[in-house]
Amino acid sequence: MNERIPMPLIPGDYAGLPPGAARCPGPSVQDIVARDAVPAPQILRESHYEFLGETDIDYRRYTSREHYEQEMTHLWAKTWQWACREEHIPQVGDYYVYEIGHHSVLVVRTGEGIKAYYNSCLHRGTKLRPEEGMGSAQELRCPFHGWTWTLEGALKSVPCAWDFPHVKPETYRLPELRVGLWGGFVFINLDENAPSLESYLEVLPEHFRDWDLGQRYTELHMGKILPCNWKTGLEAFIESYHVLETHPQLLHGTGDANVQYDVYGDHVTRFYAVGGVNSPHLDEPLSEQALVDSMLIGDRSVVNDALVVGEGETARTVMARFLRKVLGDKYGSDLSGVSDAEMIDTIEYHLFPNMVLFPGVSLPMVYRFRPLKDDPERCLFEILFLRPLPEQGLPPDPPEMVLVGEEESYSVVKALDPVLARVYDQDTANLRAQQQGFRASKKPGQTLGNYQEVRIRHFERAVDRYLARGFSKEENR
Amino acid sequence: MSHSFHTVFPVADLPPGASKAVQIDGHNILVGNSAGEFFAVQNRCTHQDSPLEGGRIRNGLIACPLHGVMFDVKTGCGRGQMGRVPLRTYALQVSDGQIQVSVDAPVAA
Ligand code: FES
Ligand code: FES
Ligand SMILES: [Fe+2]
């Protein structure tokens, strides 16, 4: 499709354009999508970029304990975060412990719906459930002295109750946090005065109107501890600029530089990378047939047949048609109405602070990045695969998280496509070096591309806004 | 040498997710069905001694009804700091639609 496109190697030239206006030469995402056989929904036919500045981003945001503490107080304790999927707690009595920094939240499916409690006993503080993850109970009983609450949070029994005449059951209900549901995710917020989840989500519900993630189930859940700040980790996954250097094997069949970057409101950004086209960086563009052959990433388990590009067809059309059929069969769901773009492209949304989600069918991931306990330079990176719910029968039990060791390859995860394991290994291999480089640097901050790295700038701006709001409240005290 | 297997109850009595306690030669044993696979483990949590009977079984793990510690029903291994001590597991076989458990046969790996 594209010819080899000449590109300058030396930066420093606005070429007469306002900052942020330059784009990679070659067809844009919108040019490519406009020619699709099964057209993309309106939400993918729009772009929403805004120039947000070009000054450097201070490295201390990623290394300093002070910044970390401020984030704990003014960001993590104020924002909506997804704690688990609804399928993690399918029946009354099922619970999920979600931890963020020193906070620990017990999300419980009760007879009165889903509730979230501070995971701390009202007797002497012991965590009611010691570890993160799924579990089940008929009542919430503390392991230390056995104080017990109903699932709905009422004090039920206290051993040697005669010794506690001062403990009135009315005032010893388990304190609750706010809970919100969207797309099959259970969100919590530690701030009782925060705006509603609905308003927090901004454009997301509208964009996902036809991508109901509530109709998916968790097929796979992986975690890995990364030796970097949670923002360092997240920022490596919200730009596609690194593909050229970090994942050269993906250049075939990815319009890597022609990725569209969009920013919305305070909390939402996205990128949109088309598949089935040549990278403008390739010396020798592939034929449409060769593109199809190179695109078999994401779910190789379903590849069972030769894929032939017919007269007048594009690789995109052929690949989308093929995946619609095999993935539809594999997951027992009807994908006939799904556009080419939704079948094969990589569409990635970021919801502030730490949720990254892909509405596509063939790469159906959700990422989450969290600081680990009290270390500004370590984080937990989780990947979930959400597959379409079968039209008949029950989905399998939600899986436990598989932890990939810090020094281990993602290839230890049997259920993961080895092609993707290699990509995640490449991504995570950069991060220790980057985090250490933040400290080694003479230059005080990182420099961002005006277009391809705008989501990072948008994200850091949102961090600043939360911290600034926190400071102004402190001053008013 | 032959090991004695005791017939405990018919397969049909134990649908997926169900578990029932049974006494054999002084052993208090929990026999359960984890997604179609039968297992037999000691019916006393190694955390603080609660019976495990009736604990929810999911993903090959049984959750103790008292404080929620989870144990792998195949290996007996517990999860987390409160599950450091594994459960004893027992050999189990199915014959003629009957579940049979032995207290002295080695447990197949
Ligand atoms: S600390 Fe929970 S019962 Fe004593
Ligand atoms: S006795 Fe089983 S978890 Fe405490
Ligand atoms: Fe990457």
Side-chain angles (χ1 to χ4, degrees), chain A residues 121-126 128 142-147 149:
Chain A
C121 180
L122 299 183
H123 176 222
R124 285 166 57 196
T126 307
L128 291 169
C142 177
F144 198 175
H145 310 91
W147 286 35
W149 286 265

Side-chain angles (χ1 to χ4, degrees), chain A residues 265-331:
Chain A
D266 265 352
H267 300 143
V268 180
T269 65
R270 76 170 176 189
F271 77 46
Y272 179 7
V274 284
V277 296
N278 277 299
S279 164
H281 294 289
L282 278 182
D283 284 330
E284 306 232 346
L286 301 177
S287 69
E288 294 293 311
Q289 183 61 56
L291 281 171
V292 166
D293 300 341
S294 73
M295 272 176 75
L296 304 176
I297 175 179
D299 204 341
R300 307 183 79 80
S301 61
V302 299
V303 175
N304 56 11
D305 214 344
L307 290 144
V308 183
V309 182
E311 197 55 39
E313 285 185 325
T314 63
R316 286 173 63 74
T317 306
V318 172
M319 197 65 208
R321 194 168 57 210
F322 174 74
L323 283 180
R324 225 175 257 124
K325 169 89 177 71
V326 277
L327 291 178
D329 287 352
K330 179 170 178 188
Y331 294 104

Side-chain angles (χ1 to χ4, degrees), chain A residues 143, chain B residues 45-52 64-69 71 82:
Chain B
C45 181
T46 59
H47 175 233
Q48 283 162 205
D49 291 349
S50 167
L52 290 167
C64 174
L66 206 62
H67 312 114
V69 171
F71 296 89
M82 294 180 182

